[in-house]
């Protein structure tokens, strides 16, 4: 049996579920992607996004895919202006109530700064809404350029943050090969797995399971968060 087959056998035991409600604003996707790295998702990341939504007057932060786009989606330019007006330190403390940094060092940039830079780069490439982001994902040449720019922001690491951003913005073919997904694959295959290998394995297994890579990735994440 090949390695994808071994992944499929174990994955059949997971709770594969269709995608539920998702962030209805690109700004919340950016916050989630940046603040979820090396953080407890339910305890820190989700409340951070909801605090921003409440402060910014976003009435519908989450929506089902069939109901997108929402009529009052906040353009990313507004998100950038909010951070610029406050400054990253004040925005982190007063609005987000989350002063996490991009690395475990008091000298590392605040995640709020990384979020602002993410949004600024996307805006500079004409990406302001979820619809813009999905158009970008279909333009592979432009996508490569945008990804190159985003990779220069502090906290890029292995690229899991960027892959996760595309997942949040709507691409169900993307996965977030973070430490939990890697740990699960390493347990299944009894070897070290790189992020690039993880992407190929999950994508291949999802095709055989007749689910999206997002659904398999999320099922693995749900399984591993219990460990």
């Amino acid at each position: 049996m090949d390695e994808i087959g071994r992944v499929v056998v174990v994955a059949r035991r997971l709770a594969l579920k269709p995608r539920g409600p998702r962030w209805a604003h690109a700004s919340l996707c950016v916050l989630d992607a940046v603040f979820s790295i090396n953080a407890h998702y339910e305890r820190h990341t989700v409340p951070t996004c909801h605090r921003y939504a409440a402060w910014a007057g976003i009435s519908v932060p989450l929506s089902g895919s069939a109901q997108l786009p929402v009529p009052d989606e906040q353009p990313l330019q507004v998100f950038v202006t909010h951070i610029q007006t406050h400054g990253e330190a004040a925005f982190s403390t007063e609005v987000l109530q989350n002063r996490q940094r991009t690395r475990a060092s008091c000298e590392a940039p605040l995640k709020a700064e990384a979020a602002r830079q993410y949004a600024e780069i996307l805006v500079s490439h004409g990406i302001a809404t979820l619809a813009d982001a999905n158009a970008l994902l279909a333009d592979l040449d432009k996508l490569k350029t945008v990804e190159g720019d985003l990779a220069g922001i502090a906290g890029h690491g292995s690229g899991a943050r960027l892959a996760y951003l595309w997942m949040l913005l709507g691409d169900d073919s993307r996965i977030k090969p973070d430490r939990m997904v890697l740990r699960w694959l390493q347990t299944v295959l009894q070897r070290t797995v790189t992020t690039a290998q993880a992407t190929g394995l999950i994508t291949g297994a999802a095709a055989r399971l007749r689910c999206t890579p997002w659904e398999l990735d999320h099922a693995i994440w749900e399984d591993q968060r219990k460990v």
Side-chain angles (χ1 to χ4, degrees), residues 27-188:
S27 55
L28 298 176
C29 295
V30 169
L31 281 173
D32 188 329
V34 172
F35 278 85
S36 64
I37 300 300
N38 296 324
H40 191 286
Y41 189 71
E42 300 292 349
R43 192 162 58 237
H44 297 298
T45 308
V46 172
T48 296
C49 294
H50 280 293
R51 281 192 288 267
Y52 173 72
W55 177 87
I58 293 175
S59 59
V60 183
L62 292 162
S63 183
S65 295
Q67 285 72 50
L68 294 174
V70 293
D72 59 346
E73 182 180 351
Q74 182 192 78
L76 272 178
Q77 296 95 324
V78 174
F79 176 67
V80 170
T81 300
H82 285 158
I83 302 179
Q84 290 175 337
T85 301
H86 281 73
E88 287 90 359
F91 189 78
S92 298
T93 302
E94 299 167 11
V95 178
L96 303 181
Q97 299 173 37
N98 185 331
R99 289 185 58 84
Q100 291 176 352
R101 296 182 180 272
T102 53
R103 297 192 319 277
S105 165
C106 61
E107 303 298 324
L110 289 163
K111 286 185 176 179
E113 179 178 348
R116 174 185 59 77
Q117 292 174 329
Y118 250 51
E120 285 178 337
I121 288 173
L122 290 171
V123 169
S124 74
H125 287 282
I127 314 303
T129 65
L130 296 179
D132 294 334
N134 279 275
L136 170 68
L137 293 169
D139 186 340
L140 297 184
D141 290 335
K142 184 176 181 180
L143 178 63
K144 185 176 180 180
T145 299
V146 175
E147 288 185 329
D149 290 346
L150 293 173
I153 297 174
H156 178 70
S158 66
R161 183 178 68 184
L162 184 51
Y164 183 45
L165 175 65
W166 301 142
M167 285 174 60
L168 292 167
L169 287 168
D171 187 357
D172 285 359
S173 68
R174 301 270 179 162
I175 74 160
K176 180 188 180 185
D178 63 9
R179 64 183 184 278
M180 290 203 284
V181 170
L182 294 177
R183 180 175 65 193
W184 184 85
L185 286 170
Q186 287 164 5
T187 300
V188 171

